[in-house]
Amino acid sequence: MWRRRTGGARRSPEAVRAEPAEVAEPVQPAEPPALTIDALGRKCPIPIIMLAERINQVATGGVVAVLADDPAAFTDVPAWCRLKSHEHVGSYELPHGGWSIHVRRNY
Amino acid sequence: MAYLDAASTEPLHPAARDALLAAIDAGWADPARLYGTARRAQMLLERARAEVAELIGARPDEVSFTSSGTQAVHLGVLGTLAGRRRAGTRLVASAVEHSSVLHAGALHEGGGGEMEIVGVSRTGRVDADAFAEAVARPGAALACLQTANHEVGTLQPVEEAARACREAGVPLLVDAAQSAGRLPLPEGWSVLTASAHKWGGPAGVGVLAVRKGVRWRSPLPEDERERRRVPGFENVPAIVAAAAALRARAEEAEAEGRRLSALVDRIRAEVPRLVPDVEVVGDPVLRLPHLVTFSCLYVEGEALLTELDKAGFAVSSGSSCTASTLRPSHVLEAMGVLTHGNVRVSLPRGVSEDDIDRFLAVLPDIVRRIRSSLGVH
């Protein structure tokens, strides 16, 4: 039993879990975050609100890590980056579930 | 109450209501029996079948009635896979199909089959080349593609998919639930499914059409009803009403579709102008005439639905907090668009322009209030 995903805008969290070999991002982030926001256990849109409130605490070009385990955050943080013209650096799985979602402040 | 959730279910069409009331008296007997009242029920059933067949571009003997659109999809997917077992075991489907397609695929996987999911663009349109490639690879047993997406309204490239399927010799199941009765149906399908309550017929009637020559084997125990495709006693009065509604909608579709589409254009243009931090999702042009979806940043979908309900508007949402699964909609996820603060507005036949004016008037303040309750100003 296997499942292959072909093309498309986005991978679902399940797809990432099911096929770690196909995830584009490396397992470890290349650049350590300047700020980590712990939104574990918080439901969307709270993680996004926390990110929007605090992104300006890092310098332009700096990276913020959002720790979140609401599946909606996996899609919504990158979508927020696109809408707000910040950069989604990558989403890295956390050992106990959820992701560390890295965002670069662009302006 | 302004009802703006036609994509969940369209209110009963007046033509369907009249037909239903008449058929409850005339068509209650068992259409499989041979006495007068039974023959009358059978005649009503076959007349409805012929009418639906003509409207969807099929032969009457290709059309069966099911108990729902979901059942039509389940039988269409599993029956075609069963009939094609020797040809292959791989089911190809877009990432944004209705859950009935994906759940039937999951059952197929559970039985040792395979499912290949083809991704979509940011607007929710399937990648036609990737779809064609997936269908052409050896082992494809069936491909599934909706005519239009149920959550964001984007039309799918069904005719291109049908061409690719024809070349590869793979049957194509087209799920027409959202567009039947609203837009002309595409050609080139092998199996077509639809749901009467989405076009203004009563609930409890689905359509399963299987083209002559397509191999299909029932995944259920044998039953002689509906050409051995669908088990159980037919709901003749509801089927008669469904056919009447489809006929009436087909006649109105062009003019009413144009009117609804202009209202949707207005919502698409006005919502981002009136409400800050909103993303309107789905294709702006290649879309259903009556459906528009947008997501509001920093807003909980459930709160938005509750407040809109209080203000007298019935809408739906693909946000996770409004779903029993606590997962956001797989459609919004596959598109990579915001899943929270999501609202789907789908206009029923005859909706008044005043309702849309009022919706646009109350929305900005509702969003502002919810945001400020979360500390966002």
Coordinates of all heavy atoms in Angstrom, one line a residue, chain A residues 1-14 17 43-46 48-49 52-53 70-73 75-76 78-80 82-84, chain B residues 90 95 109-110 113-122 130 137 277 279 297-300 320 327-328 333-340 374 376:
Chain A
M1 N 0.8 -1.2 0.0 CA 0.0 0.0 0.0 C 0.9 1.2 0.0 O 1.7 1.4 0.9 CB -0.8 0.0 1.3 CG -2.2 0.5 1.1 SD -3.2 0.1 2.5 CE -2.6 1.2 3.7
W2 N 0.7 2.1 -1.0 CA 1.5 3.3 -1.0 C 0.8 4.4 -1.6 O -0.3 4.2 -2.2 CB 2.8 3.0 -1.8 CG 2.6 2.5 -3.2 CD1 2.3 1.2 -3.6 CD2 2.4 3.3 -4.4 NE1 2.1 1.2 -4.9 CE2 2.1 2.4 -5.4 CE3 2.5 4.7 -4.6 CZ2 2.0 2.9 -6.7 CZ3 2.4 5.1 -5.9 CH2 2.1 4.2 -7.0
R3 N 1.3 5.5 -1.5 CA 0.6 6.7 -2.0 C 1.6 7.6 -2.6 O 2.6 7.9 -2.0 CB -0.2 7.4 -0.9 CG -0.9 8.6 -1.3 CD -1.5 9.2 0.0 NE -2.5 8.3 0.5 CZ -3.8 8.6 0.7 NH1 -4.2 9.8 0.4 NH2 -4.6 7.8 1.3
R4 N 1.3 8.1 -3.8 CA 2.3 9.0 -4.4 C 1.5 10.3 -4.6 O 0.4 10.3 -5.1 CB 2.8 8.4 -5.7 CG 3.8 9.4 -6.3 CD 4.4 8.9 -7.6 NE 3.9 7.6 -8.1 CZ 4.5 6.9 -9.0 NH1 5.7 7.2 -9.3 NH2 4.0 5.8 -9.5
R5 N 2.2 11.4 -4.3 CA 1.6 12.7 -4.6 C 2.3 13.3 -5.8 O 3.5 13.3 -5.8 CB 1.6 13.6 -3.4 CG 0.8 13.1 -2.3 CD 0.9 14.1 -1.1 NE 0.2 15.3 -1.4 CZ -1.1 15.5 -1.1 NH1 -1.8 14.5 -0.6 NH2 -1.7 16.6 -1.4
T6 N 1.6 13.8 -6.7 CA 2.2 14.4 -7.9 C 2.0 15.9 -8.0 O 0.8 16.3 -8.1 CB 1.6 13.7 -9.2 OG1 1.6 12.3 -8.9 CG2 2.5 14.0 -10.4
G7 N 3.0 16.7 -8.0 CA 2.9 18.1 -8.2 C 2.1 18.8 -7.1 O 1.9 18.3 -6.0
G8 N 1.6 20.0 -7.5 CA 0.7 20.7 -6.6 C 1.4 21.8 -5.7 O 2.6 21.9 -5.6
A9 N 0.5 22.6 -5.1 CA 1.0 23.8 -4.4 C 1.6 23.4 -3.1 O 2.5 24.0 -2.5 CB -0.1 24.8 -4.2
R10 N 1.1 22.3 -2.5 CA 1.3 22.1 -1.1 C 1.3 20.6 -0.7 O 0.6 19.9 -1.4 CB 0.2 22.8 -0.4 CG 0.4 23.4 1.0 CD 1.4 24.5 0.9 NE 1.8 24.9 2.2 CZ 2.8 24.2 2.9 NH1 3.4 23.3 2.3 NH2 3.1 24.6 4.1
R11 N 2.0 20.3 0.3 CA 1.9 18.9 0.8 C 1.1 19.0 2.1 O 1.3 19.9 2.9 CB 3.3 18.4 1.2 CG 3.9 17.7 0.1 CD 5.4 17.5 0.3 NE 6.1 17.5 -0.9 CZ 6.0 16.6 -1.8 NH1 5.3 15.5 -1.6 NH2 6.7 16.7 -2.9
S12 N 0.3 18.0 2.4 CA -0.4 18.0 3.7 C 0.5 17.5 4.7 O 1.5 16.8 4.5 CB -1.6 17.1 3.6 OG -1.2 15.8 3.6
P13 N 0.2 17.8 6.0 CA 1.1 17.2 7.1 C 1.2 15.7 7.0 O 2.3 15.2 7.3 CB 0.3 17.6 8.4 CG -0.5 18.8 8.0 CD -0.8 18.6 6.5
E14 N 0.1 15.0 6.6 CA 0.2 13.6 6.5 C 1.2 13.1 5.5 O 2.0 12.2 5.7 CB -1.1 12.9 6.1 CG -2.0 12.6 7.2 CD -3.2 13.5 7.2 OE1 -3.2 14.4 6.4 OE2 -4.1 13.3 8.1
R17 N 4.6 13.3 6.9 CA 4.8 12.2 7.8 C 5.0 10.9 7.1 O 5.8 10.1 7.4 CB 3.7 12.1 8.9 CG 3.9 13.0 10.1 CD 3.0 12.6 11.2 NE 1.6 12.8 10.9 CZ 1.0 14.0 11.1 NH1 1.7 15.0 11.6 NH2 -0.3 14.1 10.9
K43 N -4.6 26.7 19.2 CA -5.3 26.4 17.9 C -5.2 27.7 17.0 O -5.2 28.8 17.5 CB -6.8 26.2 18.2 CG -7.0 24.9 19.0 CD -7.1 23.7 18.1 CE -7.0 22.4 18.8 NZ -6.1 21.4 18.3
C44 N -5.2 27.4 15.7 CA -5.3 28.5 14.8 C -6.5 29.3 15.0 O -7.6 28.7 15.3 CB -5.2 28.0 13.3 SG -3.5 28.2 12.7
P45 N -6.5 30.7 14.9 CA -5.4 31.5 14.4 C -4.4 32.0 15.4 O -3.6 32.9 15.1 CB -6.2 32.7 13.8 CG -7.4 32.9 14.8 CD -7.7 31.5 15.2
I46 N -4.4 31.4 16.7 CA -3.5 32.0 17.7 C -2.1 31.9 17.3 O -1.4 33.0 17.5 CB -3.8 31.3 19.1 CG1 -5.3 31.4 19.5 CG2 -2.9 31.8 20.2 CD1 -5.8 32.8 19.7
I48 N -0.7 32.2 14.5 CA -0.5 33.3 13.5 C -0.5 34.6 14.1 O 0.3 35.5 13.8 CB -1.6 33.2 12.4 CG1 -1.7 31.8 11.8 CG2 -1.3 34.3 11.3 CD1 -0.6 31.5 10.8
I49 N -1.4 34.8 15.1 CA -1.5 36.1 15.8 C -0.2 36.3 16.6 O 0.4 37.4 16.6 CB -2.8 36.1 16.7 CG1 -4.0 36.1 15.8 CG2 -2.7 37.3 17.6 CD1 -5.3 36.0 16.6
A52 N 2.5 37.3 14.1 CA 2.3 38.6 13.6 C 2.7 39.7 14.6 O 3.3 40.7 14.3 CB 0.9 38.9 13.2
E53 N 2.4 39.4 15.9 CA 2.7 40.3 17.0 C 4.2 40.5 17.2 O 4.7 41.5 17.6 CB 2.1 39.8 18.3 CG 0.7 40.4 18.6 CD 0.1 39.7 19.8 OE1 0.7 38.8 20.5 OE2 -1.1 40.0 20.0
D70 N -1.1 22.5 15.9 CA -2.4 22.5 15.3 C -2.1 22.2 13.8 O -1.3 23.0 13.2 CB -3.0 23.8 15.5 CG -4.4 23.9 14.8 OD1 -4.8 22.8 14.2 OD2 -5.0 24.9 14.9
P71 N -2.7 21.2 13.2 CA -2.4 20.9 11.8 C -2.7 22.1 10.9 O -2.1 22.3 9.8 CB -3.4 19.8 11.4 CG -3.8 19.2 12.7 CD -3.6 20.2 13.8
A72 N -3.6 23.0 11.3 CA -3.9 24.2 10.5 C -2.7 25.1 10.4 O -2.5 25.7 9.3 CB -5.1 25.0 11.0
A73 N -1.8 25.1 11.4 CA -0.7 26.0 11.4 C 0.3 25.6 10.3 O 1.0 26.5 9.7 CB 0.0 26.0 12.8
T75 N -0.3 24.7 7.3 CA -0.6 25.4 6.1 C -0.7 26.9 6.3 O -0.3 27.6 5.4 CB -2.0 24.9 5.7 OG1 -2.0 23.5 5.5 CG2 -2.5 25.5 4.3
D76 N -1.1 27.3 7.4 CA -1.5 28.7 7.6 C -0.2 29.6 7.8 O -0.2 30.8 7.4 CB -2.4 28.9 8.8 CG -3.8 28.5 8.4 OD1 -4.0 27.9 7.3 OD2 -4.8 28.7 9.2
P78 N 2.9 29.3 6.4 CA 3.4 29.6 5.0 C 2.4 30.5 4.2 O 2.9 31.4 3.5 CB 3.5 28.2 4.4 CG 3.7 27.3 5.5 CD 2.9 27.8 6.6
A79 N 1.1 30.3 4.4 CA 0.2 31.1 3.7 C 0.3 32.6 4.2 O 0.2 33.5 3.4 CB -1.3 30.6 3.8
W80 N 0.4 32.7 5.5 CA 0.6 34.1 6.1 C 1.8 34.7 5.5 O 1.8 35.9 5.1 CB 0.7 34.0 7.6 CG 0.9 35.3 8.3 CD1 -0.1 36.1 8.7 CD2 2.1 35.9 8.7 NE1 0.4 37.2 9.3 CE2 1.8 37.1 9.3 CE3 3.4 35.5 8.6 CZ2 2.8 38.0 9.8 CZ3 4.4 36.4 9.1 CH2 4.1 37.6 9.7
R82 N 3.2 34.3 2.6 CA 2.9 34.7 1.2 C 2.1 36.0 1.2 O 2.4 36.9 0.5 CB 2.2 33.5 0.5 CG 1.9 33.7 -0.9 CD 1.4 32.5 -1.6 NE 0.3 31.8 -0.8 CZ -0.9 32.2 -0.8 NH1 -1.3 33.2 -1.5 NH2 -1.8 31.5 -0.1
L83 N 1.1 36.0 2.1 CA 0.2 37.2 2.1 C 0.9 38.4 2.6 O 0.7 39.5 2.2 CB -1.0 36.9 3.0 CG -2.0 35.9 2.5 CD1 -3.1 35.6 3.5 CD2 -2.6 36.3 1.1
K84 N 1.9 38.2 3.6 CA 2.6 39.3 4.2 C 4.0 39.6 3.6 O 4.7 40.4 4.2 CB 2.7 39.1 5.7 CG 1.3 39.1 6.4 CD 0.8 40.6 6.4 CE -0.6 40.7 6.9 NZ -1.1 42.0 6.8
Chain B
R90 N -4.5 0.8 -9.6 CA -4.2 2.2 -9.1 C -5.3 3.1 -9.5 O -5.8 3.2 -10.6 CB -2.9 2.6 -9.8 CG -2.4 4.0 -9.2 CD -0.9 4.2 -9.5 NE -0.5 3.7 -10.8 CZ -0.6 4.5 -11.9 NH1 -0.9 5.8 -11.8 NH2 -0.3 4.0 -13.1
A95 N -6.2 16.0 -5.6 CA -6.1 16.2 -4.2 C -7.4 16.9 -3.6 O -7.5 17.0 -2.4 CB -4.9 17.0 -3.8
E109 N -7.4 1.2 -0.9 CA -6.1 1.0 -0.4 C -6.0 0.0 0.7 O -5.1 -0.8 0.8 CB -5.5 2.4 0.2 CG -5.1 3.3 -0.9 CD -4.4 4.5 -0.2 OE1 -5.0 5.2 0.7 OE2 -3.2 4.8 -0.6
G110 N -7.0 0.0 1.6 CA -7.1 -0.9 2.7 C -7.2 -2.4 2.1 O -6.8 -3.3 2.8
G113 N -5.2 -2.0 -2.8 CA -5.0 -1.2 -3.9 C -4.2 0.0 -3.7 O -3.6 0.2 -2.6
E114 N -4.0 0.8 -4.7 CA -3.1 2.0 -4.6 C -4.0 3.2 -5.0 O -4.9 3.1 -5.7 CB -1.9 1.9 -5.5 CG -1.0 0.7 -5.3 CD -0.3 0.3 -6.6 OE1 -0.3 1.0 -7.6 OE2 0.2 -0.9 -6.5
M115 N -3.6 4.4 -4.4 CA -4.2 5.6 -4.8 C -3.1 6.6 -5.1 O -2.2 6.8 -4.3 CB -5.1 6.1 -3.7 CG -5.7 7.5 -4.0 SD -7.3 7.9 -3.2 CE -6.9 7.8 -1.5
E116 N -3.2 7.3 -6.2 CA -2.3 8.3 -6.5 C -3.0 9.7 -6.5 O -4.0 9.8 -7.2 CB -1.6 8.1 -7.9 CG -0.7 9.2 -8.3 CD 0.2 8.8 -9.5 OE1 0.2 7.6 -9.9 OE2 0.9 9.7 -10.0
I117 N -2.5 10.6 -5.7 CA -3.2 11.9 -5.6 C -2.5 12.9 -6.5 O -1.2 13.1 -6.3 CB -3.2 12.3 -4.1 CG1 -3.9 11.3 -3.2 CG2 -3.7 13.7 -4.0 CD1 -5.4 11.3 -3.4
V118 N -3.2 13.6 -7.3 CA -2.5 14.6 -8.2 C -2.8 16.0 -7.6 O -3.9 16.3 -7.3 CB -3.1 14.5 -9.6 CG1 -2.4 15.6 -10.5 CG2 -2.9 13.1 -10.2
G119 N -1.8 16.8 -7.4 CA -1.9 18.1 -6.8 C -2.6 19.1 -7.6 O -2.8 18.9 -8.8
V120 N -2.8 20.2 -6.9 CA -3.5 21.3 -7.6 C -2.7 22.6 -7.4 O -1.8 22.7 -6.6 CB -4.9 21.6 -6.9 CG1 -5.8 20.3 -7.2 CG2 -4.9 21.9 -5.5
S121 N -3.1 23.6 -8.2 CA -2.5 24.9 -8.2 C -3.0 25.7 -7.0 O -3.9 25.2 -6.3 CB -2.8 25.7 -9.4 OG -4.1 26.1 -9.4
R122 N -2.5 26.9 -6.8 CA -2.9 27.8 -5.7 C -4.4 28.1 -5.8 O -5.1 28.3 -4.8 CB -2.1 29.1 -5.7 CG -2.3 30.0 -4.6 CD -1.5 29.6 -3.4 NE -0.1 29.8 -3.5 CZ 0.8 29.1 -2.8 NH1 0.4 28.2 -1.9 NH2 2.1 29.3 -3.0
A130 N 0.2 16.7 -15.1 CA 0.5 15.7 -14.1 C -0.6 14.6 -14.0 O -0.3 13.4 -13.9 CB 0.7 16.3 -12.7
R137 N 0.6 6.1 -16.9 CA 1.5 5.2 -16.4 C 0.8 3.8 -16.2 O -0.3 3.8 -15.8 CB 2.1 5.7 -15.0 CG 3.6 5.5 -14.9 CD 4.1 6.1 -13.7 NE 3.9 7.6 -13.6 CZ 3.2 8.1 -12.6 NH1 2.6 7.4 -11.7 NH2 3.1 9.4 -12.6
D277 N -6.8 42.4 5.3 CA -6.2 41.1 5.5 C -7.2 39.9 5.2 O -7.4 39.0 6.0 CB -5.7 40.9 7.0 CG -4.5 41.8 7.2 OD1 -3.6 41.9 6.3 OD2 -4.3 42.3 8.3
E279 N -8.1 37.0 2.1 CA -7.6 36.4 0.9 C -8.9 35.7 0.2 O -9.5 34.8 0.8 CB -6.5 35.3 1.1 CG -6.1 34.7 -0.2 CD -4.9 33.7 0.0 OE1 -4.9 33.0 1.1 OE2 -4.1 33.5 -0.9
L297 N -7.7 36.6 7.8 CA -6.5 36.4 8.8 C -7.0 36.8 10.2 O -7.8 37.7 10.4 CB -5.4 37.4 8.4 CG -4.3 36.8 7.5 CD1 -3.3 38.0 7.3 CD2 -3.6 35.7 8.2
Y298 N -6.4 36.1 11.2 CA -6.6 36.3 12.6 C -8.0 36.2 13.1 O -8.4 36.8 14.0 CB -6.1 37.7 13.0 CG -4.8 38.2 12.3 CD1 -4.7 39.3 11.6 CD2 -3.7 37.3 12.4 CE1 -3.5 39.7 11.0 CE2 -2.5 37.7 11.8 CZ -2.4 38.9 11.1 OH -1.2 39.3 10.5
V299 N -8.8 35.3 12.4 CA -10.2 35.1 12.8 C -10.5 33.6 12.9 O -10.0 32.9 12.0 CB -11.1 35.8 11.8 CG1 -12.6 35.4 12.0 CG2 -11.0 37.3 11.8
E300 N -11.2 33.2 13.9 CA -11.6 31.8 14.0 C -12.8 31.6 13.1 O -13.8 32.4 13.2 CB -11.9 31.6 15.5 CG -11.5 30.3 16.0 CD -12.1 30.1 17.4 OE1 -12.3 31.1 18.1 OE2 -12.4 28.9 17.7
S320 N -10.8 24.4 10.4 CA -10.8 23.1 11.2 C -11.7 23.2 12.4 O -12.3 22.2 12.8 CB -9.3 22.9 11.7 OG -8.8 24.0 12.3
R327 N -9.6 18.9 11.8 CA -8.6 19.2 10.8 C -9.1 20.2 9.8 O -10.3 20.2 9.5 CB -8.3 17.9 10.0 CG -7.5 16.9 10.8 CD -6.9 15.9 9.8 NE -6.1 16.6 8.8 CZ -4.8 16.9 8.9 NH1 -4.2 16.6 10.0 NH2 -4.2 17.5 8.0
P328 N -8.2 21.0 9.3 CA -8.7 22.0 8.2 C -9.1 21.2 7.0 O -8.7 20.1 6.8 CB -7.6 22.9 8.0 CG -6.4 22.2 8.5 CD -6.8 21.2 9.6
E333 N -5.9 23.0 2.3 CA -4.5 22.5 2.6 C -3.8 22.2 1.2 O -2.7 22.6 1.1 CB -4.6 21.2 3.4 CG -4.4 21.4 4.8 CD -4.4 20.0 5.6 OE1 -4.4 18.9 4.9 OE2 -4.3 20.0 6.8
A334 N -4.5 21.5 0.3 CA -3.9 21.1 -0.9 C -3.5 22.4 -1.8 O -2.6 22.4 -2.5 CB -4.8 20.2 -1.7
M335 N -4.3 23.4 -1.6 CA -4.1 24.7 -2.4 C -3.0 25.5 -1.7 O -2.4 26.4 -2.3 CB -5.4 25.5 -2.4 CG -6.5 24.9 -3.3 SD -8.1 25.6 -3.0 CE -7.8 27.3 -3.6
G336 N -2.7 25.3 -0.4 CA -1.7 26.1 0.3 C -2.2 27.5 0.6 O -1.5 28.4 0.7
V337 N -3.6 27.6 0.9 CA -4.1 28.9 1.2 C -4.5 28.8 2.7 O -4.6 27.8 3.3 CB -5.3 29.3 0.3 CG1 -4.9 29.4 -1.1 CG2 -6.4 28.3 0.5
L338 N -4.8 30.0 3.3 CA -5.2 30.1 4.7 C -6.4 29.2 4.9 O -7.4 29.2 4.2 CB -5.7 31.5 5.0 CG -4.7 32.6 5.3 CD1 -5.4 33.9 5.7 CD2 -3.7 32.2 6.4
T339 N -6.3 28.5 6.0 CA -7.4 27.6 6.4 C -8.3 28.2 7.5 O -9.4 27.7 7.7 CB -6.9 26.2 6.8 OG1 -6.3 26.3 8.1 CG2 -5.9 25.6 5.8
H340 N -7.7 29.1 8.2 CA -8.6 29.7 9.3 C -9.3 30.9 8.8 O -9.1 31.4 7.8 CB -7.7 30.0 10.6 CG -6.8 31.2 10.4 ND1 -5.5 31.1 10.1 CD2 -7.1 32.5 10.5 CE1 -5.0 32.3 10.1 NE2 -5.9 33.2 10.2
L374 N -9.6 38.9 20.0 CA -8.4 38.1 20.1 C -7.2 39.0 20.3 O -6.1 38.6 20.2 CB -8.2 37.3 18.9 CG -9.3 36.2 18.7 CD1 -9.1 35.6 17.3 CD2 -9.1 35.1 19.7
V376 N -6.3 41.6 18.3 CA -5.8 42.0 17.0 C -6.5 43.3 16.7 O -7.8 43.3 16.6 CB -5.9 41.0 15.9 CG1 -5.4 41.5 14.6 CG2 -5.3 39.7 16.3

